[in-house]
Amino acid sequence: MRDEEFRELYVRMATVVFSFAARQLTPDQARDVVAETFEVLWRTRTEVPSNHDEWPAWLIGIAKNKVRHERQRTRRKHHDNRFIDDYPSLSGHASSPDIADSVADSVAGRWVWNQLNSEERELVNIAFVQGVSDTEASALVGISTTAYTTRLSRVRKRIAELNIRSANDPRDIQKSETNT
């Protein structure tokens, strides 16, 4: 199968494969099936039947397998997670989270944030909020990538120390919260 034949088959069959998959799956899953079906076609294009008239049926066969795999994956996922709340160590939380913990965490987090200077806040914002790469972040700040990663490492260490301090001596947090 040549590249142009692949393109022609994609144009002709992508909506057919999507319609077939969407009858059995969600639209997002059906789009995944289309992508995976044509990925398999691309990888196995040397094994495609020589008769061009057989290509659509061969492609639908691949799509049937992908739909079946997706349905099995969905069933397994549902089954695997059905009883997760019965095991606190697996679910990540004990019976029900205490709202006081989240309030204390937000107060402590705000206190830690207030302890950072403007440069440290900018680095935290770029690194963790904007989620850009180190190279892009260093360009934003106007320093080398090495300098950026070094400064970010120092900020991480400072935040860790402030978190320990806030956990060990919550009076610091209470004092600063009453002053604001």
Side-chain angles (χ1 to χ4, degrees):
M1 174 179 278
R2 296 185 321 267
D3 289 355
E4 53 276 352
E5 291 172 324
F6 177 83
R7 280 188 218 103
E8 289 173 17
L9 190 59
Y10 179 83
V11 168
R12 189 173 86 192
M13 295 295 296
T15 56
V16 174
V17 172
F18 177 80
S19 297
F20 170 76
R23 282 184 246 136
Q24 302 171 62
L25 304 168
T26 67
D28 286 337
Q29 291 171 321
R31 281 188 280 279
D32 290 344
V33 165
V34 172
E36 291 170 8
T37 298
F38 281 96
E39 178 186 354
V40 169
L41 174 64
W42 181 255
R43 282 186 289 136
T44 61
R45 65 187 178 275
T46 58
E47 302 166 18
V48 175
S50 58
N51 184 352
H52 291 15
D53 295 335
E54 295 176 11
W55 289 2
W58 190 71
L59 190 64
I60 292 297
I62 296 170
K64 282 182 184 178
N65 287 332
K66 292 300 173 184
V67 167
R68 184 173 40 84
H69 291 160
E70 184 62 27
R71 292 177 80 189
Q72 288 173 345
R73 188 191 64 78
T74 303
R75 270 196 310 275
R76 265 194 318 271
K77 183 178 176 186
H78 171 72
H79 176 72
D80 291 347
N81 293 328
R82 187 173 8 177
F83 303 108
I84 197 162
D85 288 332
D86 293 343
Y87 303 97
S89 63
L90 297 175
S91 63
H93 62 277
S95 56
S96 63
D98 186 0
I99 192 69
D101 292 338
S102 63
V103 171
D105 287 345
S106 64
V107 169
R110 190 169 43 250
W111 179 81
V112 168
W113 179 257
N114 288 334
Q115 303 309 302
L116 300 176
N117 64 37
S118 61
E119 183 181 293
E120 292 169 328
R121 288 180 187 178
E122 180 183 22
L123 287 175
V124 169
N125 183 34
I126 290 171
F128 303 113
V129 177
Q130 295 180 12
V132 297
S133 70
D134 290 346
T135 306
E136 294 168 328
S138 62
L140 285 171
V141 180
I143 57 177
S144 71
T145 305
T146 305
Y148 168 77
T149 56
T150 300
R151 289 180 189 179
L152 186 59
S153 177
R154 289 181 190 144
V155 171
R156 284 182 172 146
K157 183 178 178 185
R158 179 139 191 266
I159 290 171
E161 291 168 354
L162 289 168
N163 278 325
I164 291 169
R165 183 173 155 199
S166 70
N168 290 339
D169 194 3
R171 290 178 302 211
D172 286 341
I173 297 172
Q174 290 170 349
K175 286 179 204 172
S176 67
E177 284 301 308
T178 56
N179 292 337
T180 54

